[in-house]
Amino acid sequence: MVITWKFFLANLNERKTLIDKIVSFVLEHNLDGVDVDLEWSRVTSGYSDFIIELKDALKIHSKGISAALPSETKYDHLNLNALNALDFINIMAYDFTGPWNPTASGQHSSYNNAVESINFWKNTGISQSKLTLGVPFYGYDFSNSSNVTSFTFGQMVSTNNSYSEIDNVGMKFYNGRPTIKSKVKLASEQVSGIMIWELGQDSFSEY
């Protein structure tokens, strides 16, 4: 039998078992909390109950809970009580295009995308103190529309240091340092901070 997330989320007893295992893992490894990153088709019946019950279980141990959520979509199975249970909502303001849409070449995470994403979540009534803006340390190469691939900011800088200051090289699109700086300023003014996906993709140099 193949067990899917649907089974764990929708079933009260199985949901409790999953939550107990997650909390045990957090305590064993002395983590600050949990970021829930179930997306799209995996956000099924029981998701809101899972968030609320996981929050209650973590709160006993003074541990936090956040969720990575799409830039401009609120899932049908995510209700207001679950949203309010989250300490932070990490807005995934990236992947506006990519390998799944190879003919839509261009920037997958522009500054305007960040503005629109923040406005969407603020308009849901969620406090800006709960919102963090996701910024990408990776990009997509549309040079070959039949095989769009990803790359890291670190890889671009290792090719040429000057690439750190721009947002595309040919058909390779990413966020250079000036764009990230602008997004950080936006986040400092509009929400509570930023979330990076992900640190390992950075350039570990002066750039």
Side-chain angles (χ1 to χ4, degrees), residues 86-105:
L86 296 167
D87 298 308
F88 290 103
I89 293 170
N90 296 318
I91 306 170
M92 297 186 288
Y94 36 71
D95 286 354
F96 281 78
T97 188
W100 53 90
N101 196 6
T103 59
S105 61

Side-chain angles (χ1 to χ4, degrees), residues 91 113 121 134 202:
I91 306 170
N113 292 149
W121 280 103
D202 200 0

Side-chain angles (χ1 to χ4, degrees), residues 35-36 66-71 86 88-94 121 130-134 194-196:
D35 181 61
V36 180
S66 60
L69 296 175
S71 53
L86 296 167
F88 290 103
I89 293 170
N90 296 318
I91 306 170
M92 297 186 288
Y94 36 71
W121 280 103
K130 282 196 172 193
L131 300 175
T132 67
L133 174 66
I194 65 166
M195 174 270 286
I196 295 167

Side-chain angles (χ1 to χ4, degrees), residues 126-141:
I126 299 300
S127 169
Q128 67 184 48
S129 65
K130 282 196 172 193
L131 300 175
T132 67
L133 174 66
V135 296
F137 281 15
Y138 67 95
Y140 292 113
D141 182 358

